[in-house]
Amino acid sequence: MSLSMNLEGLDISILGPACVAGLIVLSTHVPLGKQVLSRGIIFIDLAIAQIAALGVILAQFMGIEEQGLGVQIAAAVAALAGAGLLSWTDRRWPEYQEPLIGTLFVLAATGGLLLLANNPQGGEHLKDLLVGQILWVSFAQLIPAAILSVILLAFMWLRRGRLVGLAFYALFALAITTSVQLVGVYLVFASLIVPALATAGMSGKKQLIAAYAIGIAGYVSGLALSAVFDLPSGALIVWTLAACALLAQAFPGVRRSHPAHAPKDVAA
């Protein structure tokens, strides 16, 4: 396979809304990613994102207009229901929370496959939900997402970042509901985990600044490269996020923030 460059693809009318979409997603996902890592429930984002996607698929299965308000409501209700269930299991069986999250993810993923089984365009719908269509978002689509993100950020600020129980799961579900329809399930996971993981040993404002910088660099470079080389934008941004996270380790402040591993015992 050969790649050809197309500099005309660097169209600000297309890349502009896509970059704003990335900023909206990162605005809530960077601080939430830190909480996910600290709680040790890494795959909760995949599970909630997949449940929100299942809500979208179910709404379309019932004949609700694809871009209508009904789909947004269905996705939010599904994600909040999943969040409520996980909040309950966290109280009831905290030691089994991670495998329960994995089980819920598998059920949501396979449920979507079953609903799309007889849909001739099912494969395309599933692809859009997984890798997203960030290059084709419009500013009109971003207004509700931006308003919700501001509300969620204000709530996190008022709580000083201390989110526990149902408050954490509900806020997480609402953030995921919006982002999964903008950027897809895979990019939601990468946006939450990769910047947070790259700056895991840092704390305070420095960690947030570094994580946001990694996220922004990943989105901008991924969008530019996808436009120039005509590659799937969502999938490529996942890779550029990972690349930017690795490059960030070249900075002493980020690299030294990670605790050194104790040397392994060597058998005599």
Side-chain angles (χ1 to χ4, degrees):
M1 183 185 71
S2 62
L3 293 177
S4 57
M5 293 182 63
N6 175 25
L7 295 180
E8 293 180 359
L10 297 174
D11 186 343
I12 192 63
S13 65
I14 295 176
L15 296 181
C19 285
V20 174
L23 290 175
I24 291 173
V25 170
L26 289 170
S27 68
T28 55
H29 286 38
V30 165
L32 284 174
K34 178 183 176 182
Q35 297 235 0
V36 167
L37 282 185
S38 66
R39 291 166 183 262
I41 46 176
I42 308 303
F43 296 106
I44 185 178
D45 43 353
L46 274 179
I48 296 295
Q50 196 66 59
I51 293 169
L54 179 62
V56 172
I57 293 171
L58 183 60
Q60 294 172 355
F61 181 80
M62 297 172 65
I64 298 176
E65 185 183 351
E66 186 174 347
Q67 299 296 331
L69 181 61
V71 171
Q72 307 290 330
I73 294 173
V77 169
L80 286 170
L85 178 60
L86 289 175
S87 176
W88 177 74
T89 59
D90 195 21
R91 295 193 306 272
R92 183 69 176 80
W93 301 292
E95 68 275 21
Y96 299 121
Q97 185 70 344
E98 190 73 359
L100 285 168
I101 288 172
T103 301
L104 196 58
F105 164 75
V106 171
L107 287 172
T110 52
L113 289 174
L114 291 172
L115 289 174
L116 291 172
N118 296 316
N119 187 332
Q121 296 180 321
E124 194 63 30
H125 284 312
L126 189 60
K127 177 186 173 184
D128 288 346
L129 285 169
L130 291 177
V131 299
Q133 290 288 333
I134 189 173
L135 272 183
W136 307 115
V137 298
S138 65
F139 282 121
Q141 288 176 269
L142 297 178
I143 293 173
I147 293 172
L148 179 60
S149 295
V150 169
I151 294 172
L152 296 179
L153 286 169
F155 183 79
M156 282 189 274
W157 181 78
L158 289 172
R159 295 294 295 266
R160 299 291 191 270
R162 293 188 293 270
L163 300 172
V164 295
L166 187 58
F168 166 74
Y169 285 101
L171 188 146
F172 192 87
L174 291 173
I176 294 295
T177 298
T178 302
S179 59
V180 77
Q181 295 179 72
L182 290 178
V183 302
V185 173
Y186 295 154
L187 197 43
V188 164
F189 179 82
S191 301
L192 277 159
I193 299 302
V194 173
L197 187 61
T199 58
M202 303 176 74
S203 61
K205 291 183 179 180
K206 287 184 177 180
Q207 182 189 21
L208 279 178
I209 292 170
Y212 277 124
I214 290 168
I216 292 169
Y219 267 87
V220 171
S221 58
L223 284 167
L225 289 172
S226 69
V228 170
F229 293 105
D230 193 24
L231 291 170
S233 51
L236 188 55
I237 294 170
V238 171
W239 280 84
T240 52
L241 277 171
C244 288
L246 287 174
L247 289 173
Q249 305 311 304
F251 292 89
V254 177
R255 185 177 65 250
R256 286 202 300 267
S257 68
H258 294 272
H261 294 289
K264 295 181 180 179
D265 293 334
V266 179

